[in-house]
Amino acid sequence: MFRAPSTGQDATPPITVPITFLGNGAVLRREAAPTSHFRLLDVAVGGTATLSRLTIENGDVTEAGGGVLVQPGGTLRGTSVTVRGNTAGGDGGGIDDQGTVRLTDSRVRDNTAQAFGGGLAVEPGGTADLTGTTVDGNTAGSFAGGGVYNDGGSVTISRSTVAKNEVTAGDGGGLWNDAQMTVNDSTVEDNLARDHGGGVTNAGGGKATFNRSTIRNNRAGLQAGGVYNVNPGSVLVLNRSLITKNRSANAPGGVFNGAGSTVVNKHSVIQGNTPTNCSPSSVPGCVG
């Protein structure tokens, strides 16, 4: 348990060399009520933090990366890791990724960012690979990405679940992307956006590809409970995926495709969304 920072807003000095944490169920925790702000881990250039069976909990910073900050040139590798209950005044309530993050069989839950990316924020040039991982119960307070926010990075999500995340004033309750995002064999469900894209927002010329994945039971306060695909050059690829039972206050409830953006539908099903599936926008293979 940490009660005060080592330096700046870090509990320990930044990691600049390879280091392995064999947690065996241990918890790295910021004491519940200290007056100082700090995160639990900071991985700097040249550093590689390899974590297993470890929980990172209750970090609280005024800047980015409430639980973990991965700087450019840093790498975080986690297996059976839980990042929970952390808070950032900037991006990345759980993790702010400016370098490389790989999580396997892990969980990012109940984190809060006052800005973007309640669970995980991937910044320009960052890469993230989530496999067998659950991102749930996270909140972004400003504009984008309750669960995962990708701004100029590259994200791959495989055999994972993104659920019950929320953006309280903006778009992309579950996922927000403006660069490269690929989702394989995964589920995006029960997320909430106060504005657009309860499940997913793909914007700013980004490309989001969903392979054999399900987007269901998400809600938006304005449009597109399921997926909001907007801005010229944005491309949404739906490959053998299912978008269903999503809802929004205004049509469409399923998938919205804006002017200058493109949806490629490869044998996917868009049905059972409220108040409409895609109308009044135009989405190939979508009726109603």
Side-chain angles (χ1 to χ4, degrees), residues 11 104 118 129 184 201 236 248:
T104 303
D129 191 330
N184 304 311
T201 290
L236 171 68
S248 57

Side-chain angles (χ1 to χ4, degrees), residues 8 13 18 42 55 65 82 91 96 104 111 121 123 125 130 132 134 137 175 188 199-200 219 232 255 286:
D42 181 349
T55 295
T82 298
D91 297 348
D96 189 72
T104 303
N111 302 285
E123 308 288 3
L130 311 182
T134 298
L175 303 172
V188 180
V200 180
R219 293 180 292 142
V255 179
C286 182

Side-chain angles (χ1 to χ4, degrees), residues 50-94:
T50 301
L51 319 179
S52 65
R53 296 187 59 204
L54 183 70
T55 295
I56 297 170
E57 183 177 277
N58 203 40
D60 188 336
V61 298
T62 60
E63 46 196 41
V68 183
L69 173 65
V70 182
Q71 298 186 43
T75 298
L76 173 71
R77 297 173 179 156
T79 302
S80 300
V81 168
T82 298
V83 181
R84 70 184 181 201
N86 302 283
T87 302
D91 297 348

Side-chain angles (χ1 to χ4, degrees), residues 1 24-26 50 74 91 95 109 115 118 139 160 164 199 222 237 246 256 258 266 280:
M1 181 179 292
N24 292 317
T50 301
D91 297 348
I95 303 170
R109 56 170 289 201
T139 302
S160 297
K164 298 181 180 179
L222 295 178
V237 179
N246 303 286
F256 178 89
K266 300 179 179 180

